[in-house]
Amino acid sequence: MELVVAVIMYAGLYSMLLPKFPGSLIILGAAALYGWIRGFENSEPWLWWVLIGLALLADGGSRLIRYYQTKPYRLSRRFSVNATAGNVAGMITADVAFGPVLGVIIWQLVAGKTYLPRWSTTGKIMAVLIKAALFRLSCGIVMIILVITYLF
């Protein structure tokens, strides 16, 4: 049973890297399922309050980080992510098609002219989004450690 709950919690941890998936609630739900199956015999009330608080902090805190720290920039978060992913994917595709040196030169001549002027803003937004993802991930890791330590 512990293995099934651990797999569900790790799936929740993985989904915490994606902003639209409630990974902390998946981890909390797996812990609640395990506690319910075991009759809550090994659990203490403080553990559940801490887990609920961490779940709320992970989701709410990362949303606040993403919203307030990207608010001053004129570019949207979606544009920043898509532009960065498209630039990296285009560079890799050009490298595969034309070779490493010629591919980078062609890509920078074609797309680099439009992407590089916005890189300072896009890079700052990406740094904020990475910070928010790492915050969520660290909350999820702490939740899993608490569950494994005090509930299993």
Side-chain angles (χ1 to χ4, degrees):
M1 185 63 199
E2 285 88 1
L3 180 64
V4 173
V5 171
V7 167
I8 294 171
M9 286 193 303
Y10 290 129
L13 184 66
Y14 178 73
S15 69
M16 288 184 85
L17 291 173
L18 306 169
K20 299 290 183 188
F21 290 99
S24 59
L25 297 179
I26 294 171
I27 295 171
L28 183 64
L33 176 70
Y34 183 77
W36 180 69
I37 289 173
R38 295 287 182 178
F40 296 102
E41 61 191 30
N42 292 339
S43 65
E44 298 180 27
W46 69 266
L47 176 66
W48 295 104
W49 287 112
V50 169
L51 289 175
I52 291 170
L54 280 170
L56 293 174
L57 183 66
D59 287 334
S62 67
R63 287 181 194 272
L64 289 174
I65 289 171
R66 285 193 316 262
Y67 179 73
Y68 284 112
Q69 290 192 353
T70 60
K71 192 176 182 179
Y73 303 110
R74 294 184 317 158
L75 297 177
S76 70
R77 297 184 300 264
R78 180 173 289 159
F79 173 81
S80 299
V81 171
N82 291 340
T84 303
N87 190 39
V88 171
M91 210 178 320
I92 291 171
T93 305
D95 286 352
V96 170
F98 301 110
V101 176
L102 186 59
V104 169
I105 291 171
I106 290 173
W107 182 253
Q108 290 306 321
L109 288 174
V110 172
K113 293 185 293 187
T114 58
Y115 182 69
L116 286 179
R118 294 190 182 262
W119 172 244
S120 61
T121 305
T122 305
K124 290 175 185 175
I125 292 173
M126 289 300 295
V128 169
L129 296 178
I130 290 170
K131 188 184 343 178
L134 288 176
F135 177 75
R136 283 187 73 187
L137 186 67
S138 61
C139 287
I141 290 171
V142 170
M143 288 175 71
I144 290 176
I145 289 171
L146 286 173
V147 169
I148 289 173
T149 304
Y150 294 106
L151 200 58
F152 281 5

